[in-house]
Amino acid sequence: MSRDPKELLEVEDPAIEVLTEYLGWKEINSKESESMRPSLKEVVLIPKLFAGIKRLNPWITEENANRVMRSITSIQATSVIEANELLQSILEKGATITQDKDDNLGLKSQDVMLIDYENINNNDFNLVRQFRVMHLKENILDIVLFINGLPITIIECKSPTLKTPMEDGIEQLSR
């Protein structure tokens, strides 16, 4: 299916311009984003997440950073709602691991932050256009926003010529 030029020129391009030029997001092209994921079923940009975990938690071992990444990319839940609730909790409070921080306190539970809410400049803000995801069938998302490699928001752009752009966008996002 070919892309609507009005959607691209009048909606998607201006959104990208605002995000990159005025809000500081950095664009990653779609092909590069695919090289950061083990498959199209995975939506996390693995190297970006790993770098974010190490940057925000400089004390963490590589093994524990990988453990945290696995806990996020293979969440154990019985429903989508439960998975979303678990991920939301991890994003807000951090993941918990057991590690010695070499602070003479020995092994203890440590919180691993994935997003720095106190100093937003410690985070890596990226966006990807035409982000391909495989779920039952291939879906192409217009714009996906990532913080430290974690997909945070999907922006579905719709042509200004559509009669029901909101409904069309909601229907497309529900897939």
Side-chain angles (χ1 to χ4, degrees), residues 49-65:
L49 176 58
F50 185 81
I53 290 171
K54 293 293 283 180
R55 183 177 56 256
L56 300 178
N57 309 278
W59 50 266
I60 196 168
T61 65
E62 190 164 315
E63 179 183 340
N64 277 334

Side-chain angles (χ1 to χ4, degrees), residues 94-112:
T96 302
I97 51 107
T98 303
Q99 181 176 312
D100 184 346
K101 286 172 62 174
D102 294 326
D103 56 6
N104 297 319
L105 297 174
L107 276 175
K108 66 179 209 167
S109 291
Q110 309 289 347
D111 290 330
V112 179

